Amino acid sequence: MKINHSSIGVIGAGAWGTALSCLLLEKNRHVKLWAYEDQTAQNINQYRENKVFLPGVAIPECIQVFSDINQVAADCETLVVASPVQKTRSLIREFKTVLTSNHHFVLAGKGIERESGSLLHEIFEEELGTSGNVSILSGPTFAMEVARKKPTAAVIASANPELGNHIQDMMHGPRFRLYRSNDLIGVQLAGAVKNVLAIAAGITEGMQLGLNARAALICRGLSEMTRLGVKMGGVPETFSGMAGLGDLVLTGTGSLSRNHTLGLRIGEGLSPEELFQNQLTVTEGAATSVSLQSLSRHHQVEMPICEAVYRILFQGQAPMEALTQLLERQKPCLLYTSDAADEGLGVDLGGRRII
């Protein structure tokens, strides 16, 4: 793979894309940012601030902002895709005509495509015929804190060691520690499922169920995430690391999380329909909760917390009713067992099964 170290393009001028542009500029001379809305591009170029999505953060003059996606894609062989997952396929179709074999991608979204159930690297495979030029950026990363240069750790996953090294060199810095992984599936699933679990954590907080309940939910949610991830080919250690547990703790407890905030408002009594209508930014966990219904059934994995979130968001179930159903499930079995009869209920870790 030929890797050009010149210009870097960031696709998506939301909070995360804008923050990544500022981060990338620290080690790279040329960064171009594409904004979906013409007005957003004009405002950033004029005021050097993304007043809508990342207010209060100064954007350096040398970051050029465009509303023509093909111009950015044609000029930059490294493309950081920070758009909402549900829009990624349509965006690829917009700029795919200007791509060459030298282009490579850093996928920074977290979610699962609602209609197809595809992960991000699978969308690229389906649209471009290859995912060998793709890496995944994930982990506990609030955009505002990255933009303000707060200490942050994240994960870059790639099946191509040369590409993984390149992206690590491009982004790793004194305040942004970037770990390497080759677990594309596990890192993506962890980032997607934790958004759904963050909605659940927000609901428990909105219902004032207490810190004990939130801790239990995070623990059991991690178990759900790991069960599905390992069944789909992920590495167990991924889910106990930065991309799994780290990101889940952040979004399940942090007030800057859009998914947690959505759940909080629902727990306080607002309806999902009302909240969806008034949203300015995308809450990826809502769409992912739909995808997880088919994925969990296909892989025969129990995900009761994620299913409860889906019922609350899209089937009109009241949070208290969902909570009652969760608590009234059958009596829990052993947390750790090597009994072969538990096959399918847990994750195998060296002869032990985590239920």
Side-chain angles (χ1 to χ4, degrees):
M1 172 183 288
K2 176 186 174 183
I3 296 178
N4 190 322
H5 292 259
S6 56
S7 294
I8 299 169
V10 179
I11 305 298
W16 189 214
T18 304
L20 286 173
S21 298
C22 297
L23 172 72
L24 287 161
L25 192 65
E26 294 179 15
K27 295 184 69 175
N28 306 275
R29 289 184 301 168
H30 304 291
V31 176
K32 298 181 178 181
L33 176 62
W34 173 78
Y36 180 81
E37 303 90 352
D38 289 338
Q39 192 61 51
T40 300
Q42 293 173 18
N43 288 343
I44 295 175
N45 282 324
Q46 180 177 356
Y47 301 109
R48 306 316 305 176
E49 179 185 354
N50 191 335
K51 293 175 182 274
V52 175
F53 299 109
L54 201 67
V57 174
I59 300 173
E61 291 281 349
C62 48
I63 294 179
Q64 299 173 284
V65 189
F66 301 86
S67 56
D68 182 352
I69 194 170
N70 284 291
Q71 181 178 355
V72 175
D75 291 346
C76 306
E77 291 182 354
T78 299
L79 294 176
V80 179
V81 183
S83 60
V85 170
Q86 308 308 321
K87 294 183 178 180
T88 297
R89 190 181 296 273
S90 61
L91 287 177
I92 296 172
R93 292 173 179 176
E94 281 192 49
F95 63 67
K96 66 190 298 184
T97 57
V98 302
L99 298 179
T100 71
S101 59
N102 293 325
H103 274 89
H104 50 279
F105 307 90
V106 181
L107 309 184
K110 297 176 182 178
I112 302 171
E113 191 173 45
R114 178 170 177 166
E115 299 301 325
S116 67
S118 296
L119 299 174
L120 277 171
H121 83 287
E122 294 171 329
I123 296 173
F124 273 74
E125 178 76 45
E126 293 159 8
E127 292 297 323
L128 301 179
T130 179
S131 61
N133 55 352
V134 161
S135 57
I136 305 296
L137 177 66
S138 196
T141 51
F142 282 152
M144 182 60 77
E145 294 197 356
V146 171
R148 295 194 182 282
K149 300 183 180 180
K150 301 290 186 182
T152 300
V155 176
I156 192 72
S158 177
N160 183 323
E162 183 184 4
L163 178 59
N165 280 328
H166 166 63
I167 302 303
Q168 189 178 36
D169 290 342
M170 187 177 79
M171 303 186 75
H172 184 92
R175 295 299 183 97
F176 193 82
R177 185 170 182 82
L178 195 56
Y179 291 87
R180 288 276 313 282
S181 171
N182 59 7
D183 184 10
L184 278 172
I185 292 176
V187 168
Q188 288 176 92
L189 273 173
V193 176
K194 64 89 189 177
N195 281 333
V196 182
L197 297 172
I199 295 174
I203 292 173
T204 66
E205 184 173 334
M207 295 173 68
Q208 300 183 21
L209 299 180
L211 299 179
N212 292 350
R214 186 176 70 180
L217 184 143
I218 289 174
C219 179
R220 300 311 302 157
L222 179 63
S223 181
E224 291 188 18
M225 174 197 296
T226 306
R227 283 200 296 266
L228 178 64
V230 172
K231 201 71 176 287
M232 291 181 63
V235 178
E237 290 77 8
T238 295
F239 304 97
S240 60
M242 201 67 68
L245 179 59
D247 207 0
L248 175 57
V249 168
L250 180 73
T251 53
T253 63
S255 60
L256 293 176
S257 166
R258 294 190 298 269
N259 293 283
H260 181 274
T261 299
L262 173 66
L264 178 69
R265 298 292 177 251
I266 293 171
E268 291 173 338
L270 296 179
S271 71
E273 294 80 9
E274 179 183 356
L275 292 165
F276 290 148
Q277 289 174 0
N278 296 325
Q279 274 187 328
L280 178 63
T281 56
V282 174
T283 306
E284 293 280 17
T288 297
S289 74
V290 179
S291 306
L292 288 179
Q293 297 308 296
S294 55
L295 282 176
S296 62
R297 284 164 174 73
H298 176 75
H299 294 283
Q300 298 183 321
V301 173
E302 289 190 0
M303 303 185 75
I305 298 174
C306 293
E307 288 179 9
V309 171
Y310 169 76
R311 292 195 303 269
I312 291 169
L313 293 181
F314 298 106
Q315 293 188 338
Q317 186 172 42
M320 185 56 70
E321 181 184 354
L323 172 66
T324 300
Q325 289 182 1
L326 284 172
L327 293 176
E328 290 180 349
R329 295 175 68 238
Q330 66 182 21
K331 184 174 64 174
C333 52
L334 288 172
L335 279 175
Y336 300 100
T337 176
S338 57
D339 189 344
D342 289 319
E343 182 69 33
L345 293 178
V347 177
D348 195 354
L349 290 176
R352 296 184 306 165
R353 302 192 67 77
I354 297 180
I355 305 303

